[in-house]
Amino acid sequence: MNEHQEIEGLANSAEHEELVRRVLLEEVPQADERVHRLVAGCPRCSTQLKEHAQISAMLNEGGDLEMQSILREALEMDQFPGDEQVDRVLSSLAAGEPVGTLGGGRWRFRSVAMLAAAAALILAVVLTGGFGEEEPTPERATHLGPTQEAGEGTTSGAQFGPQGHDADFSRVYWELEIPDGGFYEVRVYDNTAGSRGELLITAEELEDPEWRPKKMEREKLTEAVLFEVVCFDAAGQRLEQRLSWPAWSVSE
Amino acid sequence: MNPMEPNLTNTSSNEDDLELARRVLANETKAVESFVMRMRCVGSILRIRNARFGRPLDRAALGDLVQDTLIVIWRRLSSYEGRGPLEAWAYRIASYELLSALRASRRRPVTSSEFDQVYAIAAPAPEPTPDSNSSGNRLMRHLRGREAQIVRLKHFEDLSFEEIAKLLEVAPSTAKTHYYRAVEKLRTILAPLAGEVGT
């Protein structure tokens, strides 16, 4: 028995049902003239459309409640795990810096500063013959030594180290100003080809702009590393200034 | 609603957030700082959702996902229309990215039962959550398998049929067919449930 009413332009029940289906699947908007005629002219289809809308509303409510529940939980957290990561990613994106490929959620950025520093480092190597024409393909992890002064156009005109061909690597230093009571943190990441940027060392709460690694720490260094210096104020809030640069060892 | 609670699903007007997004796109420093603060919830959202799914992603993968999600959020910021708070908008993006990551982590088509397992559709949540007894969730209990997945992805994750199809590696028409069947099934059982869900 055909329970559908005849409507101009919608000759049979199959057309009614197809239109109802397309409305549910959002292929035809509710505001479509044919839908108005269907609602006005066919009680069965009108009821079906209302029930679909009711079901959608209930399901949407379920989704909204779930979202609210999770968002509240997220917003009420006293400490947001990974805040630094969020800050770093978005700040870099806002600054138009490219996103790199180091993975693992630990260090995935090659900032402009870092690239500039890398370029300066390579230039210095070429000029001083420190590495000669040798590729940085370390056979032994003898880690670096003399300091390097960044050339014009690199990060903040900062000096940083170490760089070079020296087994007596014992000091990393930088020039970044911080407020009284502030402190630095040095992080060293694995930067060898194919690595995921694993954090190797963290040296925390350094009052002076230098880090003197202990023997045990030096032994943790891989052939190629990425140094990062992060600054904090006296209250422990991370500051905008940061510096990062790659370094690598060479075989002797 | 408790007036002290944030209105996270306000669909009327979010002019302030829309203005913030415009200022961020104009690269205003203060606006970017504010936006960064607001988006700090993204990491927590992904961690909470991953935990609710039974932690299918390890810490490293989750860290990668947070970054990837933030990149998507940044790239899509110009499409934010202010139809909800920024956090709710980011939540939807984060959800899709999480589901995509779950699929990618499998590196092969995910069967219905596997996806159910990950997505906690077939099994009840290990711990009751404040939203688990909503009328929508109660309706969901009448659905199984692909139909349940698709309805949930449509209404709980707010995905389009194209996004659902991509996620489940089926044709959009297949996703629509399952969805229509599911809604029709719910319609046939709605009458007996009317008293229950209406309360």
Side-chain angles (χ1 to χ4, degrees):
Chain A
M1 183 176 122
N2 184 4
E3 296 173 342
H4 296 279
Q5 303 294 309
E6 281 194 23
I7 301 170
E8 186 184 349
L10 292 165
N12 57 53
S13 59
E15 287 186 7
H16 286 211
E17 287 167 8
E18 179 58 16
L19 185 55
V20 169
R21 181 179 180 278
R22 293 187 67 197
V23 170
L24 177 69
L25 298 177
E26 299 165 356
E27 294 172 349
V28 174
Q30 292 272 2
D32 190 286
E33 177 60 30
R34 289 171 297 169
V35 180
H36 284 305
R37 274 189 273 133
L38 191 65
V39 169
C42 180
R44 185 179 188 278
C45 290
S46 176
T47 301
Q48 193 174 353
L49 285 167
K50 279 179 192 167
E51 288 173 352
H52 283 172
Q54 189 181 359
I55 290 166
S56 289
M58 284 193 288
L59 292 169
N60 284 338
E61 185 198 7
D64 285 344
L65 286 172
E66 183 172 284
M67 178 184 71
Q68 286 182 53
S69 162
I70 291 170
L71 273 178
R72 284 210 173 82
E73 194 176 336
L75 293 170
E76 285 169 2
M77 281 184 175
D78 290 334
Q79 291 183 324
F80 294 96
D83 272 2
E84 279 188 19
Q85 186 188 13
V86 173
D87 295 358
R88 195 166 54 197
V89 172
L90 289 178
S91 299
S92 294
L93 288 168
E97 294 175 357
V99 176
T101 54
L102 290 175
R106 294 169 283 270
W107 179 260
R108 301 186 75 198
F109 284 93
R110 292 181 186 275
S111 68
V112 168
M114 189 193 100
L115 291 172
L121 192 64
I122 291 165
L123 182 63
V125 165
V126 171
L127 291 175
T128 62
F131 293 145
E133 293 181 4
E134 206 172 62
E135 288 287 325
T137 51
E139 293 166 14
R140 293 176 49 201
T142 57
H143 285 280
L144 316 178
T147 57
Q148 165 71 27
E149 182 170 355
E152 192 176 348
T154 57
T155 70
S156 313
Q159 285 192 318
F160 53 87
Q163 180 271 325
H165 182 177
D166 193 319
D168 295 327
F169 159 53
S170 59
R171 176 177 178 246
V172 174
Y173 78 98
W174 54 91
E175 285 186 353
L176 283 174
E177 291 196 4
I178 53 174
D180 287 345
F183 55 91
Y184 304 96
E185 185 173 301
V186 172
R187 298 163 189 172
V188 187
Y189 300 87
D190 184 4
N191 200 23
T192 49
S195 78
R196 301 192 74 197
E198 185 185 358
L199 180 63
L200 302 170
I201 301 166
T202 303
E204 299 174 334
E205 299 195 22
L206 303 169
E207 293 178 359
D208 300 317
E210 67 170 10
W211 172 54
R212 293 176 184 273
K214 299 179 181 69
K215 183 168 180 283
M216 276 179 59
E217 290 172 321
R218 286 205 301 274
E219 288 171 355
K220 287 183 183 174
L221 296 174
T222 53
E223 294 90 342
V225 296
L226 183 74
F227 289 103
E228 180 188 23
V229 178
V230 186
C231 305
F232 295 86
D233 65 16
Q237 293 292 313
R238 195 169 70 81
L239 302 170
E240 282 186 5
Q241 302 100 300
R242 69 173 190 274
L243 184 64
S244 62
W245 70 96
W248 53 83
S249 68
V250 293
S251 55
E252 291 183 295
Chain B
M1 174 184 281
N2 181 340
M4 297 301 289
E5 292 179 352
N7 183 2
L8 297 169
T9 55
N10 178 12
T11 53
S12 56
S13 172
N14 292 277
E15 284 300 320
D16 289 347
D17 282 4
L18 200 53
E19 179 59 22
L20 176 64
R22 289 191 189 113
R23 288 172 53 216
V24 171
L25 290 168
N27 213 16
E28 289 183 28
T29 306
K30 292 277 182 195
V32 170
E33 286 172 4
S34 176
F35 181 71
V36 169
M37 291 292 290
R38 297 277 298 273
M39 289 301 104
R40 282 183 166 187
C41 63
V42 170
S44 300
I45 289 168
L46 288 169
R47 281 170 179 82
I48 293 166
R49 297 217 66 188
N50 187 51
R52 286 196 181 189
F53 288 168
R55 293 188 171 80
L57 297 182
D58 64 20
R59 191 176 172 184
L62 199 55
D64 286 350
L65 179 61
V66 171
Q67 174 169 313
D68 293 342
T69 302
L70 291 168
I71 292 169
V72 173
I73 284 172
W74 183 260
R75 288 179 180 159
R76 288 197 194 162
L77 186 57
S78 59
S79 68
Y80 172 66
E81 296 175 338
R83 287 190 293 173
L86 271 168
E87 287 84 355
W89 173 76
Y91 174 93
R92 302 294 189 197
I93 293 175
S95 293
Y96 183 71
E97 292 301 315
L98 174 59
L99 294 171
S100 296
L102 292 177
R103 165 159 293 288
S105 69
R106 297 289 191 277
R107 297 181 188 278
R108 60 184 173 79
V110 178
T111 64
S112 178
S113 61
E114 283 174 331
F115 199 83
D116 279 355
Q117 192 177 7
V118 168
Y119 202 48
I121 291 171
E127 293 177 18
T129 56
D131 51 279
S132 60
N133 206 30
S134 68
S135 56
N137 269 312
R138 280 185 279 169
L139 272 184
M140 286 300 300
R141 289 173 197 155
H142 296 275
L143 300 175
R144 289 286 178 274
R146 229 9 154 208
E147 289 175 358
Q149 287 172 10
I150 290 171
V151 169
R152 191 171 171 85
L153 291 169
K154 181 86 180 74
H155 290 279
F156 284 62
E157 308 296 347
D158 204 21
L159 301 187
S160 67
F161 286 113
E162 285 70 26
E163 288 172 322
I164 293 169
K166 192 177 169 189
L167 203 62
L168 298 179
E169 295 178 353
V170 298
S173 58
T174 304
K176 288 179 179 179
T177 300
H178 282 295
Y179 178 76
Y180 185 73
R181 277 191 206 144
V183 173
E184 279 296 292
K185 187 182 287 180
L186 292 177
R187 201 167 70 85
T188 60
I189 58 179
L190 187 63
L193 280 176
E196 183 191 350
V197 298
T199 56

